[in-house]
Amino acid sequence: MLVMIIRRLAQSVVVMLTVALIAFTLFRYVGDPIAQMVGQDTPIEVRERMRAELGLNDPVVVQFARFVGNTLRGRFGISFRIGRPVSELIVERLPATLELSFLAALFALAAGIPMGIYTGLRPERWLSKVFLTLSLVGVSLPTFFIGILLILVFGVLLGWLPTFGRGDVVQLGWWSTGLLTASGLKSLIMPAFTLGLFQLTLTMRLVRSEILEVLRTDYIKFARARGLTSRAVNYGHALKNTLVPVITITGLQLGGIIAFAIITETVFQWPGMGLLFVQAVQFADIPIMSTYLVLIAFFFVIINLIVDILYFVVDPRLRTEATPHGH
Amino acid sequence: MTATPAPAAPLLSVRHLEVQFPSRRRTLTALQDVSFDVLPGEILGVVGESGAGKSMTGNAIIGLLEPPGRISRGEVLFAGRDLTRLDQAALRRIRGREIGAIFQDPLTSLNPLYRIGDMLVETLQTHLPLSAAEARRRAIAMLAEVGIPAPQERFHHYPHQFSGGMRQRVVIALALCTEPRLVIADEPTTALDVSVQAQIINLLKRLCRERRTAVILITHDMGVIAETADRVCVMYAGRIVEIGPVRQVIKHPLHPYTRGLMAAIPHLGGVAEELAQIDGSMPRLDAIPPGCAFNPRCPRCFAPCLGAVPPLWEVEPQHQAACFLYGEEAGAPAPAGAGPEARP
Amino acid sequence: MHRLRSLLHTVFDSDLWYSFIASRVTVLAAVVTLVFVLAAAASPWIAPQNPFNPAALDLLDAFTPPVWYAKGVAHYLLGTDDQGRDIFSTILYGSRISLLVGVGAMLLAMAIGVGLGLVSGYVGGALDNFIMRVADVTLSFPALLVALLINGVVRSVLPNVTHDQSALFVLIFSIGISSWPPFARTVRGSTMVERNKEYVQAARIIGRSPAAIMGQHVLPNVMGPVLVIATIGLAISILTEASLSFLGVGMPPTTPSLGTLIRIGNNFLFSGEWWIVVFPGAALATLILAVNLLGDWLRDALNPKLR
């Protein structure tokens, strides 16, 4: 088991270095950093001097090493557009995104897994058919459209919920949370629902297809042949085998939440990392873009690692060696 | 000859069983007019090619047909009750307790996430009023009986920690732990190494003889039947074409299909000849020819074979065949499911 | 004539056609998709107005509500936007762009994915490992992120003035590049299975080129799953393009896709002209839903385990 963890860690480092390389290439070679930072009529000598000062004439390997070193120390450069250090911007906006994403993920799992189980075990019921139709709609409706419709209905027409921003937030150290105020909570409802809906439908469909697959196996047939109660068969044997791959695949899918947070934050003007990134792309703000890339890659790598470990913990076949004894 | 009435009450009595698979386009009939009896403690072999309906018969008896398959006609009488009329709850109580089942592939029959000890205890406690400790004792004893060494340790192991043969022993333990009166063994050795097959079959035979458990042994391997079964029934295209005591069927196969099966078994010693084979192959369920299903491949086919399906005629005592060759001699067809005489 | 008739028989008598006709929902989905494609293709001829020709617009007609309102006009069936553009026409033209990008991206992804899959499966070894690793990493990032990133990079490389004109190709490229792994994986799997079969080894001994072997034997077997992936992938591509356009980094307002239209319409949500955003959105959702349904049916119909 230790061997596996070490191997995975090594792979993760390789992936991170590759991503860092891409980010570095972006940072250094796309567009001219100097041109972005100074005015139009700065003389060439001044530019050359800045170039030397910033170490832009050093060998590529040295620059890359410096980049990696800086990144590890949290020095991500200065935003072209805003003019402030990227690390500051991130610290400001990360809590907003994390809170939103976490709530959306919770919603998606808490609703999606039971719905999936229900539609898998009782496919003939009317409610199952309703769930399935809703899931198809959820997969097809673009996230931003759902958000817009929700704003239209609950914000504009009914006026129940705020239509943009986070509401009032409370500072806890460097973290700002919206969970402790009424307006903060109200502001979270629509964005979290919008962000979580796609994930929910994916989860539900995954759980359902896994359960249907499991119910067709020989060991379920044998369990029935042994006369076990349908409770034992469905919730003991079938569910256990279903949730193992589901837990792990869902972990991987949660990465999708981060991606779709970009859209949700744009629709609701949510002051998080996603909105920051979109604005960076619109204005070709390279430092933010490359930092976002590295951060996202890091996040994904961590998730993958946790999922691999989870797999290991949950599936006994991976833990013990398959040692045939005798005949 | 007229049929000899069976003095002993059969444990299982299948009468005119018909299984159909309705779909949007057409309805396929997988089993037709299947009738046989199983006496307490006897081993009945069911033999035939893949697709003949052997497994389907076993599934139908315990009510585990895959939808949309359903029993469209007939009855399955077990200890006086018709299993086809029981509701799911009652059927579930009989499954595993009175009728056990063993399936082909031990690798996929066992839930990989469950320890085998837990599976045994679960099965025992579902059917018998046992405490956890008592169930555990019985489970370990059962493991020892099927020949698993160090059963106390192995109790805590997962299926993938056993070899194929060991796994099948575990499966047998699971099927027999509740002391059922009948066991349906569907190709129990097909997925195993040849060297292990004999051991498993002998284990099964010994355990069932000891407990007077009847067995329906489903297989395509005639050799296994010859060694193990008391009686055998031969199936073809969803019907029974021959049924009788094992010695007789092997020495005097009546139905041309059975003759073909026997001839195709290579014999050691004797002149080396070409391996006899039956030309053609068994028809698909949706392409069964009219009349006797075997007629396109039958070397003795004649006029009546194309017109009607032959019923089972009792040609020798307890030995029946569904073939027009015996039609006139045998007189009236045997009543369905005439069983054997009681064994001394 | 006889061959044509027997071909028709094979198609219409097959289980595939039967399961298609039997599911009313699927037929409806297919019809809707077909209508979209045809309408989008024919938009220059059937649209009441070319909304992107400034000469055809009349600013005085701006903000006309849909026809069933009191102030509505039959000529502007679904109302007009802030520039006087007929919403129905913009939807037609927008669908065209959305479909163009979606199909283009899918074709690109298929070409790359199938090609890499064949090579990876056939050659095996280190090359196979490498390609699959790249595929794994690409797969773990959602297509939206990858496409967004590539988009951003291309934008900063190309001079500003060409952004609008090249948007179509940049989009097709960035979405296609992020969608190839599923194709590659499936094709690779099938290729590896076929490669080990005896007739392939025999063909190699005879001296047939690998390309010919793969083309003749592997490709037909793999077309079914590839088609399923392509259909579901088409829905995702359309969705991704719409998302990118909504974020402002996709198709520009001068040649808008449905996503761009929604973005434009969003500005008028609070002032009450809801039709500018809702109708394009509904059109987009309907299109994606129809393609998804087709993909779902195709996957179930071609699944050997369910037959």
Side-chain angles (χ1 to χ4, degrees):
Chain A
M1 164 136 182
L2 200 60
V3 170
M4 192 212 77
I5 294 187
I6 294 182
R7 203 177 338 146
R8 284 326 228 126
L9 273 175
Q11 278 173 349
S12 310
V13 169
V14 169
V15 169
M16 284 305 302
L17 276 178
T18 318
V19 170
L21 188 60
I22 299 178
F24 168 70
T25 318
L26 264 184
F27 198 87
R28 173 70 186 80
Y29 291 108
V30 174
D32 183 5
I34 302 289
Q36 302 273 11
M37 284 192 291
V38 303
Q40 285 266 12
D41 25 80
T42 314
I44 300 210
E45 312 86 56
V46 180
R47 291 181 194 228
E48 287 308 314
R49 189 160 34 94
M50 289 183 76
R51 224 180 276 277
E53 269 175 23
L54 290 170
L56 295 174
N57 291 333
D58 295 340
V60 178
V61 183
V62 171
Q63 292 194 48
F64 181 55
R66 202 181 300 138
F67 178 80
V68 172
N70 280 340
T71 308
L72 287 173
R73 269 174 293 182
R75 303 224 289 258
F76 301 121
I78 302 198
S79 155
F80 290 163
R81 186 173 59 98
I82 304 180
R84 290 169 55 202
V86 177
S87 43
E88 264 183 39
L89 293 169
I90 291 181
V91 166
E92 249 175 47
R93 323 234 347 184
L94 198 60
T97 301
L98 285 184
E99 244 172 45
L100 177 62
S101 307
F102 181 70
L103 238 73
L106 202 64
F107 163 60
L109 286 179
I113 293 186
M115 279 166 78
I117 295 176
Y118 184 78
T119 52
L121 289 180
R122 309 242 177 281
E124 72 292 346
R125 297 273 186 91
W126 163 86
L127 194 58
S128 284
K129 307 211 168 134
V130 167
F131 282 159
L132 277 181
T133 317
L134 282 181
S135 85
L136 205 50
V137 169
V139 164
S140 312
L141 273 182
T143 313
F144 56 89
F145 193 55
I146 297 177
I148 291 177
L149 283 179
L150 284 178
I151 292 181
L152 188 61
V153 171
F154 290 102
V156 176
L157 291 179
L158 291 175
W160 288 351
L161 296 171
T163 55
F164 63 91
R166 272 181 95 187
D168 302 317
V169 292
V170 173
Q171 279 297 132
L172 300 171
W174 63 273
W175 188 276
S176 59
T177 175
L179 295 171
L180 297 176
T181 60
S183 73
L185 282 172
K186 275 208 268 187
S187 305
L188 268 172
I189 294 182
M190 285 201 295
F193 181 81
T194 308
L195 184 56
L197 195 64
F198 191 72
Q199 239 8 77
L200 181 149
T201 53
L202 282 184
T203 305
M204 183 180 105
R205 291 170 75 128
L206 176 68
V207 170
R208 173 176 176 269
S209 88
E210 275 298 322
I211 256 201
L212 288 180
E213 192 71 42
V214 163
L215 286 175
R216 282 204 292 255
T217 55
D218 277 348
Y219 55 82
I220 292 292
K221 186 177 179 196
F222 190 40
R224 291 213 180 105
R226 298 205 303 273
L228 300 181
T229 61
S230 38
R231 202 149 159 252
V233 171
N234 285 337
Y235 296 103
H237 289 258
L239 200 60
K240 199 167 176 186
N241 285 70
T242 305
L243 287 183
V244 167
V246 161
I247 285 177
T248 44
I249 296 182
T250 306
L252 295 172
Q253 278 180 351
L254 285 179
I257 291 223
I258 301 293
F260 290 102
I262 297 180
I263 301 180
T264 311
E265 290 184 12
T266 309
V267 171
F268 289 94
Q269 293 295 300
W270 191 263
M273 290 282 312
L275 191 55
L276 188 67
F277 182 61
V278 167
Q279 289 161 342
V281 171
Q282 282 170 341
F283 289 98
D285 192 344
I286 299 289
I288 295 186
M289 277 173 62
S290 74
T291 309
Y292 191 80
L293 175 64
V294 169
L295 274 179
I296 292 292
F298 181 68
F299 189 65
F300 272 79
V301 156
I302 295 278
I303 288 188
N304 270 313
L305 212 59
I306 294 182
V307 162
D308 276 337
I309 295 184
L310 259 181
Y311 241 136
F312 212 74
V313 162
V314 156
D315 189 339
R317 284 171 287 189
L318 296 175
R319 259 182 285 154
T320 56
E321 299 240 331
T323 40
H325 288 301
H327 295 292
Chain B
M1 279 183 252
T2 53
T4 344
L11 177 66
L12 178 78
S13 203
V14 176
R15 300 235 181 290
H16 305 292
L17 190 64
E18 180 179 280
V19 166
Q20 287 187 334
F21 280 79
S23 76
R24 274 193 282 256
R25 286 178 82 171
R26 58 201 164 204
T27 298
L28 290 177
T29 307
L31 289 182
Q32 242 170 17
D33 202 19
V34 169
S35 307
F36 59 87
D37 285 349
V38 180
L39 274 194
E42 79 163 332
I43 300 184
L44 172 72
V46 177
V47 78
E49 291 172 58
S50 302
K54 323 185 290 289
S55 301
M56 191 89 55
T57 310
N59 287 342
I61 292 175
I62 46 175
L64 282 186
L65 283 174
E66 294 230 358
R70 42 177 277 273
I71 298 180
S72 46
R73 217 184 296 188
E75 30 182 42
V76 177
L77 299 168
F78 180 76
R81 302 157 80 183
D82 184 1
L83 297 183
T84 61
R85 303 259 175 275
L86 290 181
D87 63 27
Q88 280 301 311
L91 203 52
R92 184 191 67 73
R93 277 192 291 272
I94 294 188
R95 278 204 293 263
R97 174 75 181 90
E98 316 259 355
I99 304 183
I102 297 173
F103 299 116
Q104 178 173 333
D105 191 347
L107 177 58
T108 54
S109 290
L110 296 172
N111 190 332
L113 299 181
Y114 268 67
R115 297 179 208 264
I116 59 155
D118 293 336
M119 285 197 269
L120 275 166
V121 167
E122 183 186 31
T123 311
L124 282 166
Q125 288 193 302
T126 304
H127 293 288
L128 304 170
L130 298 173
S131 69
E134 180 61 39
R136 191 164 177 276
R137 253 195 302 271
R138 281 232 211 169
I140 296 181
M142 196 70 215
L143 284 178
E145 272 232 56
V146 297
I148 306 240
Q152 277 103 331
E153 278 170 50
R154 299 300 236 148
F155 183 86
H156 298 289
H157 282 188
Y158 289 94
H160 68 275
Q161 292 173 278
F162 292 80
S163 69
M166 283 281 150
R167 266 184 228 128
Q168 196 65 314
R169 290 175 193 258
V170 171
V171 167
I172 292 177
L174 277 165
L176 292 179
C177 64
T178 50
E179 317 268 330
R181 290 195 268 173
L182 168 67
V183 168
I184 300 179
D186 192 345
E187 309 261 15
T189 54
T190 309
L192 302 173
D193 284 344
V194 173
S195 52
V196 170
Q197 282 179 9
Q199 291 177 17
I200 297 297
I201 278 293
N202 285 332
L203 173 70
L204 191 61
K205 189 170 172 183
R206 178 175 63 82
L207 288 176
C208 291
R209 287 271 188 246
E210 278 173 13
R211 291 163 166 71
R212 296 262 309 165
T213 308
V215 180
I216 297 181
L217 182 58
I218 301 174
T219 176
H220 60 267
D221 188 344
M222 210 53 202
V224 166
I225 297 287
E227 296 264 321
T228 323
D230 302 314
R231 286 193 306 137
V232 62
C233 98
V234 181
M235 291 191 70
Y236 186 80
R239 287 179 188 271
I240 299 185
V241 297
E242 185 159 351
I243 179 167
V246 149
R247 293 274 154 265
Q248 279 194 273
V249 172
I250 291 186
K251 287 228 180 81
H252 310 136
L254 294 174
H255 196 281
Y257 177 60
T258 323
R259 292 231 182 103
L261 283 183
M262 298 302 149
I265 300 175
H267 297 282
L268 287 177
V271 186
E273 304 163 352
E274 267 184 35
L275 209 55
Q277 56 170 349
I278 316 174
D279 284 330
S281 56
M282 201 173 61
R284 285 174 36 159
L285 284 180
D286 54 353
I288 297 184
C292 172
F294 189 60
N295 70 55
R297 306 165 74 187
C298 184
R300 312 280 306 270
C301 171
F302 62 117
C305 305
L306 303 163
V309 177
L312 277 169
W313 276 292
E314 183 152 332
V315 180
E316 293 165 357
Q318 282 83 54
H319 188 178
Q320 299 156 24
C323 182
F324 284 113
L325 290 171
Y326 309 100
E328 296 90 45
E329 308 155 28
E341 280 170 327
R343 197 160 287 110
Chain C
M1 194 58 215
H2 178 70
R3 287 182 77 183
L4 180 64
R5 207 175 319 149
S6 74
L7 177 69
L8 285 173
H9 257 288
T10 319
V11 169
F12 289 112
D13 215 12
S14 65
D15 277 328
L16 199 68
W17 177 257
Y18 192 82
S19 97
F20 176 72
I21 288 293
S23 166
R24 284 170 300 190
V25 172
T26 313
V27 174
L28 187 64
V31 166
V32 166
T33 310
L34 201 61
V35 163
F36 256 99
V37 171
L38 290 176
S43 45
W45 295 281
I46 59 175
Q49 172 203 69
N50 178 350
F52 305 109
N53 175 3
L57 301 178
D58 187 353
L59 261 179
L60 292 175
D61 286 335
F63 295 118
T64 316
V67 70
W68 55 86
Y69 275 60
K71 289 222 204 97
V73 163
H75 182 60
Y76 297 126
L77 198 64
L78 298 175
T80 61
D81 68 2
D82 62 318
Q83 310 246 311
R85 286 187 285 236
D86 172 37
I87 298 290
F88 182 61
S89 306
T90 58
I91 291 182
L92 280 176
Y93 275 80
S95 309
R96 200 174 188 212
I97 305 274
S98 291
L99 278 168
L100 255 177
V101 174
V103 173
M106 254 316 98
L107 288 177
L108 180 65
M110 212 191 305
I112 298 178
V114 172
L116 281 181
L118 282 175
V119 165
S120 190
Y122 197 80
V123 171
L127 183 63
D128 172 37
N129 258 330
F130 177 69
I131 294 182
M132 279 302 116
R133 273 251 134 247
V134 173
D136 275 342
V137 172
T138 315
L139 259 185
S140 58
F141 289 82
L144 183 65
L145 268 183
V146 179
L148 204 55
L149 201 69
I150 297 183
N151 219 291
V153 169
V154 172
R155 279 170 153 257
S156 33
V157 167
L158 292 179
N160 277 359
V161 288
T162 57
H163 277 176
D164 283 2
Q165 289 145 310
S166 58
L168 188 74
F169 300 103
V170 172
L171 274 175
I172 292 183
F173 177 72
S174 53
I175 300 179
I177 288 277
S178 52
S179 315
W180 65 266
F183 291 105
R185 274 229 184 127
T186 310
V187 171
R188 169 188 178 260
S190 295
T191 310
M192 291 182 107
V193 167
E194 293 297 313
R195 176 185 69 171
N196 291 329
K197 291 201 178 157
E198 286 161 353
Y199 66 84
V200 168
Q201 292 173 357
R204 284 168 78 180
I205 294 177
I206 296 178
R208 301 208 69 201
S209 74
I213 298 177
M214 291 194 288
Q216 200 182 347
H217 297 291
V218 179
L219 232 35
N221 282 334
V222 105
M223 266 310 139
V226 164
L227 208 58
V228 173
I229 297 175
T231 314
I232 298 185
L234 179 63
I236 299 179
S237 294
I238 298 178
L239 189 55
T240 309
E241 180 277 318
S243 306
L244 287 175
S245 296
F246 176 76
L247 292 174
V249 294
M251 297 303 295
T254 44
T255 46
S257 69
L258 290 173
T260 322
L261 292 175
I262 298 176
R263 172 188 171 76
I264 297 175
N266 198 21
N267 295 328
F268 307 105
L269 196 61
F270 294 108
S271 46
E273 288 97 11
W274 56 270
W275 57 90
I276 308 181
V277 73
V278 171
F279 289 130
L284 180 67
T286 313
L287 176 62
I288 298 179
L289 184 61
V291 176
N292 259 330
L293 279 171
L294 266 184
D296 261 2
W297 164 78
L298 202 60
R299 182 186 46 212
D300 286 342
L302 290 177
N303 185 350
K305 288 193 255 187
L306 291 179
R307 268 189 273 174

